[in-house]
Structure formats: structure tokens, C-alpha cells
């Protein structure tokens, strides 16, 4: 079963809609390495329409320009890209295809494909929210910036039940960015104050 990984830049108050003003000042070689590691996990990118428009509007030109980011741009161009959109698309970027049928059914089929090693969702907040709710996300890889954005779309929307997460790795960068990797997990045993009161300061 292919692992499905969501990777997001996120603010300390949970905003995952990137604003260049608070994102780029914290982008350094450590974040670049982390991003590279995330992309190296996958041979399929799953992206929403807005993310496709953003990527396709920038990375092909960067690859053609041959600058410092051209190797990464080529990697993005070469990888298989499955785009989630309710509307038909005419792709201008190579190796792109429109998702077939229902999102959850299509992702379940991708994960079950023996020829796929891993699936990465960069950005694409609404896609991630739907797949989290369906229990199809295996890892959340968050690069938490030391800023409260105070506006923009948040990763975790309102819902009836909490998402319980198990932290599998953390790393703090000199910029103050924290890389944290979570895996969804079962809810812990219900505990009330009486069970923890001996842990409060001065408790016995």
C-alpha cells in the first residue's frame, strides 16, 4: 500500500494558506532539505486545481530558465501529477492527468496500486481536509513557522470530532521553524481531572 503524505507550510496559528510575506523570510537550506526529503518519498503528486495553476504557472518557466532551482523544477515536471478538479482541464505541463471519478475512490485505488511507491500532496488544503476526514492520510509533514498569520485558510476546519495525531519526528531550525511529522492515531483513553490531579504542581 502506497503511503499518502501531506506536506504543508503552516503558521503557528494553523494557517496553511501561504502568504509570501511570512513564508519566504524563513526559507533556508534546512527547509529546502526538508522539502526535498518530502518530494523524494513519492512518485505521484496529488494536487488541487489551485495548486496546479500555481505550480504550472511557475515551474516550467523556472526549468527552462536553468537557474539554481531548475533541477527541482525538472523533478516536478518529470513526476506523475494527478490533479483534483471538478472542471475539465487542458494541461500545459507534462505528466499531468485529471483525477478519474470520486476523489476518495480514486485515492484508494492509487494507494492500492502496486506500481506506486508513495503519493505526496503539496499544499492543496481542501484536498487534504477531505482525505483526513476519510482516514486516507498516512502522514502530515508540517513546517511550522514562528508567526501567527491571523488570516487565511487553516488546515484543520471545524468538525464534530478531533483528529488525534502521533508525533513521529521533530526538528527545530535556526530560523525558529519547527518541522513536525504526525501520523493519525486512535484516540487516547478517556481521562478526567481526578485521574491526573496527582500530576499538578505540588501533587503527590
Amino acid at each position: 500500500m502506497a503511503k499518502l503524505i501531506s506536506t504543508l507550510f503552516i503558521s503557528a496559528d494553523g494557517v496553511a494558506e501561504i502568504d509570501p510575506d511570512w513564508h519566504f523570510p524563513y526559507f533556508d537550506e534546512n527547509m529546502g532539505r526538508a522539502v526535498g526529503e518530502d518530494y523524494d518519498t513519492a512518485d505521484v503528486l496529488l494536487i488541487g486545481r489551485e495548486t496546479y495553476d500555481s505550480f504550472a504557472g511557475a515551474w516550467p518557466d523556472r526549468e527552462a530558465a536553468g537557474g539554481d532551482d531548475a533541477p527541482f523544477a525538472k523533478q516536478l515536471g518529470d513526476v506523475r501529477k494527478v490533479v483534483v478538479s471538478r472542471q475539465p482541464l487542458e494541461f500545459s505541463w507534462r505528466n499531468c492527468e485529471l483525477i478519474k471519478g470520486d476523489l476518495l475512490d480514486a485515492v484508494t485505488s492509487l494507494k492500492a496500486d502496486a506500481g506506486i511507491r508513495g503519493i505526496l500532496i503539496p499544499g492543496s488544503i481542501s484536498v487534504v481536509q477531505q482525505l483526513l476526514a476519510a482516514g486516507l492520510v498516512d502522514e502530515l509533514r508540517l513546517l511550522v513557522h514562528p508567526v501567527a498569520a491571523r488570516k487565511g485558510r487553516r488546515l484543520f476546519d471545524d468538525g464534530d470530532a478531533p483528529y488525534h495525531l502521533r508525533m513521529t519526528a521533530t526538528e527545530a531550525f535556526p530560523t525558529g521553524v519547527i518541522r513536525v511529522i504526525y501520523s493519525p492515531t486512535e484516540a487516547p483513553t478517556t481521562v478526567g481531572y481526578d485521574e491526573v490531579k496527582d500530576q499538578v504542581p505540588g501533587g503527590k
Side-chain angles (χ1 to χ4, degrees):
M1 185 73 74
K3 180 179 286 188
L4 181 67
I5 294 173
S6 164
T7 180
L8 289 156
F9 305 120
I10 192 167
S11 68
D13 58 342
V15 173
E17 181 180 358
I18 297 173
D19 183 334
D21 287 343
W22 63 252
H23 169 56
F24 285 119
Y26 296 101
F27 201 103
D28 65 354
E29 65 276 9
N30 297 289
M31 193 180 292
R33 168 183 53 80
V35 169
E37 290 172 0
D38 292 345
Y39 277 85
D40 287 343
T41 66
D43 40 25
V44 173
L45 295 187
L46 180 66
I47 53 179
R49 170 65 184 269
E50 291 182 10
T51 301
Y52 168 78
D53 288 342
S54 175
F55 279 23
W59 289 110
D61 290 341
R62 291 170 182 166
E63 180 180 356
D68 292 341
D69 54 359
F72 183 62
K74 182 179 185 303
Q75 179 182 353
L76 290 179
D78 289 344
V79 72
R80 178 185 175 190
K81 294 170 284 292
V82 179
V83 182
V84 181
S85 174
R86 294 186 179 90
Q87 304 298 325
L89 292 175
E90 292 187 9
F91 294 112
S92 59
W93 199 13
R94 67 185 184 275
N95 296 324
C96 292
E97 62 192 76
L98 192 64
I99 200 164
K100 295 179 176 65
D102 176 76
L103 172 63
L104 303 186
D105 291 342
V107 170
T108 299
S109 295
L110 286 171
K111 292 186 68 173
D113 189 331
I116 296 176
R117 174 173 53 94
I119 306 162
L120 186 71
I121 313 173
S124 308
I125 301 168
S126 63
V127 175
V128 175
Q129 289 173 338
Q130 293 176 71
L131 297 180
L132 271 173
L136 291 173
V137 175
D138 298 298
E139 280 188 1
L140 282 172
R141 297 190 174 197
L142 306 179
L143 287 160
V144 185
H145 295 49
V147 58
R150 303 184 66 198
K151 62 180 179 178
R153 294 181 63 194
R154 286 171 166 76
L155 170 59
F156 299 110
D157 54 357
D158 291 340
D160 295 329
Y163 293 126
H164 294 277
L165 305 170
R166 176 173 59 89
M167 185 181 67
T168 61
T170 60
E171 182 181 5
F173 300 157
T175 57
V177 169
I178 299 173
R179 185 190 192 194
V180 58
I181 300 177
Y182 290 114
S183 294
T185 190
E186 297 295 327
T189 303
T190 301
V191 173
Y193 179 75
D194 285 344
E195 286 78 33
V196 301
K197 63 185 179 181
D198 60 335
Q199 304 300 320
V200 302
K204 295 182 181 180

